Amino acid sequence: MIKTVLFMVLCSGIANNQCKVIPTPQVLFDDYSNCIVYGYAHSHTLMTEFDPEWINSMEVYTKFSCKEEEII
C-alpha cells in the first residue's frame, strides 16, 4: 500500500543550530494534497502557539515535505 508521509522539522536561522524533527499528530495521508495542506495548517498552528519573542530571538521556522512511501 502506498501512503504519503509527512516529514516536518523546526529550524532556527541562528548559525550552528540544527533543525529538529517535529512529531505531528498525523503522519500518513492518502495523497499528496491532503498531506501538504495539513503540513501548512500544522505549521501555522505551531507558530501561533510559540512565544513571539522566542520566535524573533531564534528566527524560528518550520520546514516540511510529503513523500510517497510503501507502507507494509
Side-chain angles (χ1 to χ4, degrees), residues 52-71:
E53 289 184 26
W54 180 72
I55 293 172
N56 289 330
S57 68
M58 297 301 293
E59 299 175 11
V60 175
Y61 61 96
T62 61
K63 292 188 343 184
F64 66 91
S65 63
C66 296
K67 305 286 184 196
E68 282 189 348
E69 290 197 1
E70 178 127 13
I71 306 298

Side-chain angles (χ1 to χ4, degrees), residues 20-44:
K20 305 290 185 195
V21 173
I22 301 171
T24 57
Q26 186 173 353
V27 178
L28 297 177
F29 298 86
D30 290 331
D31 59 29
Y32 180 84
S33 177
N34 287 326
C35 180
I36 205 78
V37 168
Y38 181 89
Y40 281 112
H42 190 64
S43 289
H44 178 264

Side-chain angles (χ1 to χ4, degrees), residues 6-30:
L6 174 66
F7 299 97
M8 185 174 278
V9 293
L10 184 67
C11 302
S12 169
I14 305 298
N16 297 323
N17 282 340
Q18 294 183 355
C19 297
K20 305 290 185 195
V21 173
I22 301 171
T24 57
Q26 186 173 353
V27 178
L28 297 177
F29 298 86
D30 290 331

